[in-house]
Amino acid sequence: MRTVVHTRQGEPAQVLRLREEPDRPRPDAGEVLVRMLVRPVHPGDLAGVEAPVGPTEQQPEARTPGVEGMGVVESVGVDVHTLRPGQRVAVFPAPGTWADFVVVAADRAVPVPDEVSDETAALMLVNPLTLLMLYRALDSALRGQKGSVVQTAAGSSVGRLVSAAAVRHDLPLINLVRSTSGAQRMRTLYPTLPVIATCDDDWPEQVRHQAGDRGVRVVLDCVGGAMTRDLAELLADGGTLISYGRLGSGTTPLERLPLVQRALTVQGVTVLHWMSRTPKERAQDVAFALDLARNTPDLLEVAASYDLADFKAAIEHARRPAKSGTVLLTTSQATDSGHGAADSGHGAA
Ligand SMILES: NC(=O)c1ccc[n+]([C@@H]2O[C@H](COP(=O)([O-])OP(=O)(O)OC[C@H]3O[C@@H](n4cnc5c(N)ncnc54)[C@H](OP(=O)(O)O)[C@@H]3O)[C@@H](O)[C@H]2O)c1
């Protein structure tokens, strides 16, 4: 079986390589072996390869990126009665999905309805669950108070989910993108939501003007870095900066934020903590994700598909400016599930 691995942290295109392994892993009790067909290239997957090793950590012996994807159950552990071989499943959290096979706990494999394509299934957990976690954090930060919400990188796959939810729930959202062309794309997609391009020198003034007297109560930020200070400055007193990603460069020391004077809160959100929700809560969240995959699959847009072996080209594409949607890594048509994925060849959009 093929697996993408790295044995040291660093630039993904340099440290990742394709390895052939003679044996497939075996599922223990409570686990299933999944033959993977489609996996996304998420920014977080690349960040997991790049992140420097902490002072108390060791370089990985051999680590495979990827936390979600879809495939077909190959075999099940002795006490697994909820899934059967041949069934299509979406998996998350499932460390190591950038491989032909992955073993996951049975409760991390969600059966995929017939009407959901393989590509959509591969994208239906991480970003929709992130949307739910962001919305819960937003709800508790707003505490019923009026005021605007600003989000950065609004054209991202997550940003578009947030925009769609804002339109649906009548949330006063102001979208930030980094380019004029990105602003135009967002205006076409979500004409009722204001969009501001941060390439304009006066973008903070434009946000303040748009927010009006009530100001900005919450910023949803996945850019961070040098932009953090400007974002915190936008917040009304008592406002909250919710940080969930780090696409930008540079840094902002905590001391440069007006936290104390303005009684601001900074909060981190990660979908990797989703497993700490109760089984009942997780089932409700998965039902939301399935509903989204069934009824609005266009919100889980695919930018392009590449064979797993072409992971370097896929990574380059995933990092391209103005990309729309998520890049997928697929397994060849010979092992297709018959639901439309894994036939896009090399780099077909
Ligand atoms: N915390 C969590 O659990 C969690 C879960 C999922 C995602 N995330 C984070 O959410 C963010 C979006 O993920 P995604 O998968 O939706 O991304 P994506 O679809 O790959 O889109 C990336 C977007 O980021 C924009 N961008 C890239 N670099 C930027 C920069 N330096 N400044 C401003 N904008 C920049 C791009 O804008 P252009 O169109 O101009 O190129 C593009 O719209 C990432 O930071 C990711 O790590 C976090």
Side-chain angles (χ1 to χ4, degrees):
M1 75 164 209
R2 302 171 306 167
T3 179
V4 177
V5 293
H6 64 115
T7 51
R8 61 189 170 89
Q9 300 296 108
E11 163 53 38
Q14 285 170 13
V15 300
L16 289 171
R17 65 192 165 84
L18 193 70
R19 192 163 82 179
E20 283 289 342
E21 295 189 1
D23 300 318
R24 296 173 184 180
R26 283 163 180 254
D28 281 333
E31 295 178 336
V32 293
L33 174 66
V34 179
R35 178 160 52 87
M36 294 301 299
L37 294 179
V38 194
R39 338 78 184 129
V41 179
H42 284 307
D45 296 325
L46 304 181
V49 179
E50 288 165 339
V53 178
T56 57
E57 296 166 345
Q58 291 189 331
Q59 287 280 356
E61 244 171 53
R63 178 182 168 275
T64 297
V67 291
E68 82 166 328
M70 72 76 55
V72 173
V73 175
E74 184 79 3
S75 60
V76 302
V78 282
D79 58 350
V80 175
H81 307 295
T82 49
L83 296 165
R84 53 181 164 68
Q87 202 168 1
R88 289 195 313 148
V89 287
V91 294
F92 173 77
T97 54
W98 290 19
D100 283 333
F101 290 89
V102 72
V103 167
V104 290
D107 68 351
R108 298 180 182 199
V110 177
V112 177
D114 278 351
E115 63 270 31
V116 174
S117 73
D118 288 356
E119 291 96 336
T120 298
L123 292 171
M124 76 176 198
L125 293 174
V126 165
N127 286 350
L129 297 178
T130 300
L131 169 70
L132 289 177
M133 295 187 76
L134 288 175
Y135 242 76
R136 284 185 197 111
L138 180 59
D139 215 36
S140 71
L142 284 172
R143 296 184 298 274
Q145 296 171 90
K146 299 267 185 276
S148 294
V149 175
V150 167
Q151 75 159 339
T152 57
S156 69
S157 306
V158 172
R160 291 183 192 192
L161 287 171
V162 170
S163 293
V167 170
R168 194 171 176 168
H169 297 288
D170 217 9
L171 180 81
L173 180 69
I174 301 172
N175 278 328
L176 298 185
V177 294
R178 62 177 166 175
S179 69
T180 312
S181 57
Q184 197 47 50
R185 280 196 301 277
M186 283 304 279
R187 273 185 207 110
T188 307
L189 283 170
Y190 301 101
T192 58
L193 298 177
V195 193
I196 292 164
T198 57
C199 57
D200 291 349
D201 288 342
D202 67 341
W203 69 265
E205 286 71 44
Q206 291 186 45
V207 174
R208 285 192 186 92
H209 177 74
Q210 187 66 50
D213 291 345
R214 285 177 170 148
V216 176
R217 299 261 18 127
V218 178
V219 173
L220 294 174
D221 176 44
C222 63
V223 172
M227 199 184 189
T228 306
R229 171 124 191 236
D230 285 333
L231 294 171
E233 294 282 358
L234 289 175
L235 285 165
D237 287 4
T240 303
L241 175 70
I242 296 175
S243 168
Y244 72 101
R246 173 79 202 284
L247 290 165
S249 54
T251 54
T252 301
L254 199 59
E255 293 73 22
R256 305 245 357 239
L257 303 181
L259 296 182
V260 176
Q261 308 90 304
R262 310 263 310 284
L264 303 182
T265 300
V266 178
Q267 182 184 352
V269 168
T270 174
V271 74
L272 298 179
H273 283 190
W274 179 71
M275 285 304 285
S276 65
R277 290 175 60 72
T278 66
K280 188 176 168 196
E281 289 170 337
R282 293 206 305 270
Q284 288 167 350
D285 290 353
V286 167
F288 168 85
L290 281 166
D291 190 56
L292 195 147
R294 271 196 198 97
N295 297 314
T296 46
D298 49 314
L299 285 175
L300 304 174
E301 186 187 348
V302 175
S305 298
Y306 292 80
D307 186 80
L308 181 65
D310 293 331
F311 65 89
K312 287 190 182 174
I315 290 170
E316 183 277 319
H317 194 151
R319 286 170 158 173
R320 265 183 223 164
K323 161 190 68 80
S324 181
T326 305
V327 173
L328 301 178
L329 289 168
T330 63
T331 294
S332 74
Q333 200 169 11
T335 47
D336 187 351
S337 77
H339 284 76
D343 57 355
S344 326
H346 295 247

